[in-house]
Amino acid sequence: MSLPASVYEAFRITANRNIHKPFLCVPPGPGRSYAPDGLELTYGMVSTVVDTLKAKYAAAGYGLGHRVGLLLEMRPDFFFHYLALNALGCGIVPINPDYRHDEMLYQMEHSEADLVVTVPHRLEDLRKVAADRSSKPLPVLDALEMPEQIPPPQKPALSGSPGHDTECSLLYTSGTTGRPKGCILSNFYYLNAGAWYRDLGGVVAIRHGEDRFYNPLPLFHMNHQAVTATCAILTANCLILTERFSPNRWWQEIVATKATIIHYLGIVPPLLLNQPVTPEEKQHCVRFGLGAGVEPELHKPFEDRFGFPLAEVWGMTETGRIFCDCHEPRQIDTRAFGRPLPDFEAIVADEQGNEVPRGQEGELLVRSSAANPRYGFFSGYLKNEQATEEAWTGGWFHTGDIVRMAKDGMIYFVDRKKNIIRRSGENIAAAEIEACLQAHDAVAQVAVLAVPDEIREQEVMACIVPMPGQQPMPELAEALFDWCFSRLAYFKAPGWILFVETLPTTGTQKVQKTQIFTPGEDPRKRPGIYDFRMRKKR
């Protein structure tokens, strides 16, 4: 099936054919500053607003080659501006609402955005960013009080019309090491990502005009904005915009919005399973969940309790497409996430990029095909051709994920390459220990990392947020060590356990391990840390 020239063109086609079908839904939120009683907008309603904004941007001279920053949280306004700008060939730069001054300044400097549009309560913050930006002026507009005449860009638009190769957005990676990299994503990337989700099949069967997606991931993330939203547009379905994941509100919002498809991250299943039983958890009409990181020990209990399958996926901002374990029999007692597919090939490789035998662990390398490796992937890292080419060494995209592939092609996640702990010659996956600890009733959240060890090179350290009501006492530390020691090889059990009140996370709820301790700090010297190294014996 051929794809339209742009995301806006896909939206226009769907809106013209489905004018009265719902497109955007906001759940009721009594404490919310806008739409406290909830909101539902049809394709026709959104189309009217988009085309009005499109005319304003066009009158101001915006078009191909321009970029506009958007700090619009999880509001319908994001789609009003995104689609209007996409229609003209402008790229958008979504801004994480949790960003502070320096983070926003870097993003606006690096992207060279021509304009930024924001929610009212962040106006002053972005005006300070604009004042400190040295490259060129940065007009800041209130999305709720758009002027009749938008300030024009400093340079004229390029000639031509938007197409598949036109930049749709500039999404910034998490930046766990160094500054975030700006991933240039084209219209084709978006359209292909949405169509890929649409066509996965198996338990992930999208119904045209009948489904409602509940995705708590933020709109500056490819999962929501590129994969889910574009799939909704291509299938005339509804997108539910919740503010952020909340285990307390989850089932109320699912029922109130009539969600049929949910998205999750690894943090979601354990927190929902730890909630008291409520009538709403059996009153929903969810058909399946799509996500990544559910622990194998929790997968079946979740499906048994809540009554729908969770399909595990793997994907990155750079890839667009996703692998998915969505065809029965699914391997829910493992960390399986699917098999290679036509137009999304994969191998498991060693440090030199050579394919390893099936069953061995190595880095996941992916491409579209040998003839056209980068087809449908990101267009490159902005102003960083060296990093782009390094990522594509040998004609494969190097993901940084350690996996293993079975003889039948099923791929199993092990851990991020940077999360492998090297202890006395043994490679230990932090994710395996995190999965073990997360399955304990006393653990709300956990991060496992490597700390220096004078004898063994590195040692395993677990930073644990206890469940409410659990006291961070020596007895609990002992119990958690014994829990791991009885379930894992002796060398994998945590040599150090530290209880913490919270763990720093990104906007997508991924733990930022590099921010748990201050630079130069020795984690082993934290007050209250428990040392179990002498207990780690065969």
Side-chain angles (χ1 to χ4, degrees):
M1 186 183 296
S2 62
L3 294 170
S6 67
V7 177
Y8 168 78
E9 190 63 19
F11 169 77
R12 187 187 61 80
I13 291 168
T14 298
N16 287 346
R17 295 172 180 170
N18 302 273
I19 190 169
H20 297 301
K21 280 194 176 295
F23 174 40
L24 300 176
C25 171
V26 177
R32 194 188 296 117
S33 60
Y34 72 100
D37 299 323
L39 180 69
E40 189 154 295
L41 301 173
T42 65
Y43 275 90
M45 292 173 181
V46 175
S47 182
T48 299
V49 178
V50 167
D51 286 344
T52 300
L53 277 172
K54 173 189 168 188
K56 277 191 174 186
Y57 280 117
Y62 285 86
L64 285 170
H66 294 132
R67 291 193 185 107
V68 176
L70 298 180
L71 198 167
L72 297 173
E73 301 174 338
M74 295 285 277
R75 303 184 183 211
D77 306 75
F78 180 93
F79 287 92
F80 302 159
H81 290 268
Y82 159 42
L83 292 169
L85 291 160
N86 184 265
L88 301 172
C90 297
I92 61 165
V93 188
I95 302 171
N96 184 337
D98 294 328
Y99 271 5
R100 302 302 183 213
H101 180 85
D102 289 352
E103 295 162 310
M104 292 191 292
L105 178 59
Y106 167 75
Q107 201 169 334
M108 293 296 96
E109 284 271 20
H110 187 258
S111 66
E112 299 182 48
D114 298 278
L115 175 75
V116 63
V117 182
T118 183
V119 289
H121 62 273
R122 297 305 298 275
L123 269 172
E124 285 308 311
D125 293 335
L126 277 160
R127 283 172 180 157
K128 290 175 183 175
V129 168
D132 287 348
R133 190 169 84 159
S134 58
S135 55
K136 62 180 182 181
L138 179 66
V140 181
L141 299 184
D142 182 343
L144 303 190
E145 294 186 13
M146 291 288 287
E148 281 303 312
Q149 293 185 324
I150 295 173
Q154 287 199 307
K155 62 178 187 284
L158 303 175
S159 59
S161 301
H164 280 177
D165 293 334
T166 302
E167 180 180 318
C168 178
S169 77
L170 186 65
L171 294 190
Y172 281 82
T173 59
S174 299
T176 52
T177 56
R179 286 291 197 179
K181 294 192 288 288
C183 290
I184 303 169
L185 309 179
S186 68
N187 273 316
F188 183 73
Y189 170 103
Y190 271 67
L191 294 163
N192 189 56
W196 191 269
Y197 183 8
R198 177 195 65 194
D199 299 335
L200 282 174
V203 299
V204 180
I206 311 293
R207 304 173 303 186
H208 192 93
E210 297 180 35
D211 278 317
R212 298 168 69 90
F213 297 88
Y214 182 95
N215 191 337
L217 275 74
L219 285 169
F220 58 81
H221 191 271
M222 64 82 77
N223 181 296
H224 196 155
Q225 191 208 136
V227 178
T228 310
T230 314
C231 180
I233 289 170
L234 291 173
T235 56
N237 280 317
C238 183
L239 199 63
I240 299 161
L241 303 176
T242 185
E243 287 183 320
R244 62 177 65 234
F245 169 64
S246 166
N248 298 321
R249 295 196 316 265
W250 176 275
W251 291 115
Q252 295 173 16
E253 292 191 352
I254 295 291
V255 172
T257 59
K258 300 182 176 65
T260 61
I261 299 168
I262 62 101
H263 282 236
Y264 66 90
L265 288 175
I267 191 175
V268 172
L271 291 181
L272 291 181
L273 284 168
N274 285 327
Q275 293 295 306
V277 174
T278 63
E280 287 91 349
E281 70 181 53
K282 293 296 185 184
Q283 295 169 354
H284 65 79
C285 45
V286 176
R287 297 190 300 110
F288 66 84
L290 190 86
V294 58
E295 303 301 350
E297 296 87 349
L298 303 180
H299 203 146
K300 188 175 187 300
F302 185 98
E303 294 189 358
D304 289 346
R305 175 172 169 181
F306 300 120
F308 58 88
L310 298 179
E312 282 282 291
V313 306
W314 177 94
M316 294 177 68
T317 303
E318 289 87 342
T319 66
R321 306 167 182 82
I322 53 177
F323 292 119
C324 187
D325 182 25
C326 56
H327 295 278
E328 300 292 1
R330 293 172 298 120
Q331 299 188 26
I332 65 173
D333 58 341
T334 72
R335 298 177 76 85
F337 59 76
R339 296 177 174 85
L341 296 163
D343 286 336
F344 201 20
E345 300 177 357
I347 61 169
V348 182
D350 59 20
E351 291 287 343
Q352 289 71 46
N354 301 313
E355 188 170 5
V356 302
R358 295 288 174 98
Q360 287 189 17
E361 293 179 3
E363 184 179 4
L364 177 65
L365 310 185
V366 295
R367 69 185 181 190
S368 178
S369 67
N372 196 356
R374 306 187 191 192
Y375 182 75
F377 282 68
F378 76 125
S379 304
Y381 297 119
L382 180 67
K383 301 176 184 176
N384 200 340
E385 186 177 350
Q386 180 181 347
T388 303
E389 295 310 311
E390 285 175 357
W392 281 104
T393 298
W396 292 87
F397 181 77
H398 292 243
T399 67
D401 282 342
I402 302 299
V403 303
R404 60 182 175 84
M405 187 184 293
K407 289 183 179 179
D408 65 357
M410 180 62 75
I411 312 173
Y412 301 84
F413 183 78
V414 176
D415 207 345
R416 288 291 292 165
K417 194 173 181 179
K418 63 190 176 188
N419 286 339
I420 297 295
I421 301 163
R422 183 83 172 167
R423 182 188 185 274
S424 297
E426 298 280 1
N427 287 330
I428 304 169
E432 184 180 8
I433 307 159
E434 289 166 348
C436 182
L437 284 165
Q438 190 70 73
H440 195 286
D441 290 342
V443 176
Q445 202 174 6
V446 59
V448 169
L449 57 155
V451 293
D453 188 276
E454 288 72 18
I455 298 173
R456 300 171 183 84
E457 185 180 358
Q458 291 182 329
E459 184 54 271
V460 179
M461 179 176 181
C463 300
I464 297 168
V465 179
M467 288 292 293
Q470 294 287 340
Q471 297 301 315
M473 304 290 285
E475 294 79 8
L476 180 57
E478 285 270 355
L480 294 175
F481 174 84
D482 291 341
W483 173 270
C484 291
F485 195 74
S486 65
R487 288 165 173 78
L488 302 171
Y490 79 95
F491 57 85
K492 295 180 181 178
W496 299 93
I497 289 179
L498 176 68
F499 293 114
V500 295
E501 291 185 6
T502 60
L503 288 170
T505 58
T506 67
T508 55
Q509 300 305 304
K510 292 180 182 177
V511 175
Q512 292 183 301
K513 295 184 180 181
T514 57
Q515 295 186 19
I516 297 175
F517 301 99
T518 57
E521 179 183 2
D522 186 343
R524 300 170 296 178
K525 298 214 163 62
R526 272 283 177 101
I529 196 167
Y530 296 94
D531 184 354
F532 292 98
R533 288 176 296 168
M534 297 305 294
R535 295 270 305 275
K536 292 181 65 166
K537 296 177 182 177
R538 288 184 178 87

